[in-house]
């Protein structure tokens, strides 16, 4: 079976809903987002969710299969899933929130107006096992720190909930046995920004005055040599053609003249 979704985020959300509660990670599958349960393997690949019954194709076979699927897009998975704490998290309890409908289903305690989906807000729900009992945590991701800072006050004003901000993330505990358990789980939400530093470029080499003068002298020598060769070549051509040099006149050619005068008829 195959389901085509809008993008990789929607595919991840659908995969989380479709996977069986007792499913185990399938390390041998073609993607990291894969589980197996009995003879069934369920995996998310790009904007598709694939389910194989009774067998698991080889990795290369799956790659070739998805390339033949219509409108396949292999965008990266949302980074938000990586910010949900892993310690003491219940197996397969994660659910992705992409809008008011999924919010109502997985975190009905939170009103959509407070979550503010107009900012392209996304969230993920997880259940955790604390020493005092079960804790439900939702982590929302906002486009930047400023928007999250404005929204945190609205979350903290909701009765019976515990909320805190970490950078552009807001964590909200919607269910906990006591405030201490809520704080223990909430404190695990950590945001680490990825900063790329450009290495300093090496400074351009400094010009050496001595090398510059030497280069100029070499250039002048080359130009003088070219001028000398051109002059000798020109002189040779002049001599070969009898043109002479400068003001030295060439040898004058002898001219033979005939005196032919028109004499009239002689008188007898």
């Amino acid at each position: 079976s195959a389901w085509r979704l809008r993008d990789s985020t929607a595919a991840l959300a659908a995969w989380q809903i479709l996977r069986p509660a007792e499913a185990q990670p399938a390390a041998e599958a073609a993607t990291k987002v894969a589980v197996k349960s009995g003879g069934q393997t369920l995996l998310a690949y790009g904007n598709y969710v694939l389910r194989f019954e009774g067998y698991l194709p080889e990795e290369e076979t799956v790659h070739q299969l998805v390339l033949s699927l219509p409108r396949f897009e292999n965008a990266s998975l949302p980074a938000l899933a990586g910010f949900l704490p892993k310690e003491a998290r219940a197996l397969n309890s994660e659910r992705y929130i992409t809008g008011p409908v999924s919010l109502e289903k997985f975190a009905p305690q939170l009103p959509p107006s407070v979550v503010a989906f107009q900012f392209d807000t996304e969230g993920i729900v997880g259940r955790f096992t604390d020493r005092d009992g079960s804790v439900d945590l939702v982590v929302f991701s906002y486009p930047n720190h400023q928007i999250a800072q404005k929204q945190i006050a609205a979350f903290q004003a909701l009765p019976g909930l515990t909320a805190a901000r970490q950078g552009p993330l807001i964590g909200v505990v919607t269910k906990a046995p006591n405030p201490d358990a809520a704080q223990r789980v909430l404190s695990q939400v950590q945001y680490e920004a990825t900063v790329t530093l450009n290495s300093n470029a090496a400074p351009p080499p400094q010009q050496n005055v001595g090398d510059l003068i030497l280069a100029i002298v070499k250039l002048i020598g080359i130009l003088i040599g070219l001028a000398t060769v051109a002059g000798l070549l020109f002189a040779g051509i002049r001599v070969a053609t009898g043109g002479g040099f400068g003001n030295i006149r060439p040898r004058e050619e002898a001219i033979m003249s005939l005196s032919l005068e028109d004499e009239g008829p002689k008188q007898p």
Side-chain angles (χ1 to χ4, degrees), residues 5 7-16 30-34 43-49 72-83 96 122 124:
L5 286 304
D7 51 27
S8 59
T9 300
L12 175 63
W15 174 82
Q16 291 176 343
T31 69
K32 294 181 179 179
V33 187
L43 60 88
Y45 200 133
N47 61 326
Y48 271 84
V49 176
F72 169 71
E73 298 178 4
N74 192 18
S76 59
L77 292 171
L80 177 58
F83 294 114
Y96 214 86
E122 294 180 351
I124 188 168

Side-chain angles (χ1 to χ4, degrees), residues 85 87-88 127-137 162 172-189:
E87 184 178 350
R127 178 161 293 175
F128 297 82
T129 303
D130 182 75
R131 65 190 183 200
D132 292 338
S134 179
V135 177
D136 289 348
L137 171 68
T162 305
V172 185
V173 174
T174 58
K175 177 184 176 183
N178 53 58
D180 291 339
Q183 288 294 340
R184 281 193 292 267
V185 173
L186 192 58
S187 64
Q188 298 181 44
V189 179

Side-chain angles (χ1 to χ4, degrees), residues 115-208:
V115 177
F117 287 104
Q118 67 267 24
F119 298 122
D120 293 329
T121 310
E122 294 180 351
I124 188 168
V125 180
R127 178 161 293 175
F128 297 82
T129 303
D130 182 75
R131 65 190 183 200
D132 292 338
S134 179
V135 177
D136 289 348
L137 171 68
V138 189
V139 179
F140 292 102
S141 174
Y142 290 88
N144 53 55
H145 295 60
Q146 291 75 18
I147 296 177
Q149 188 173 11
K150 291 180 179 179
Q151 293 302 121
I152 185 60
F155 281 102
Q156 292 175 337
L158 296 174
L161 304 181
T162 305
R165 182 181 71 88
Q166 280 283 335
L169 305 178
I170 291 181
V172 185
V173 174
T174 58
K175 177 184 176 183
N178 53 58
D180 291 339
Q183 288 294 340
R184 281 193 292 267
V185 173
L186 192 58
S187 64
Q188 298 181 44
V189 179
Q190 299 293 327
Y191 173 74
E192 295 181 1
T194 302
V195 180
T196 303
L197 297 177
N198 295 326
S199 58
N200 294 328
Q206 298 293 329
Q207 291 288 346
N208 188 299

Side-chain angles (χ1 to χ4, degrees), residues 2 20 23 31 38 44 55 61-62 90 97 103 133 144 157 169 175 202 223 246 252 266:
T31 69
Y55 77 106
T61 303
V62 176
I97 296 175
L103 179 69
N144 53 55
L169 305 178
K175 177 184 176 183
L223 294 176
E252 295 183 357
K266 293 182 179 181

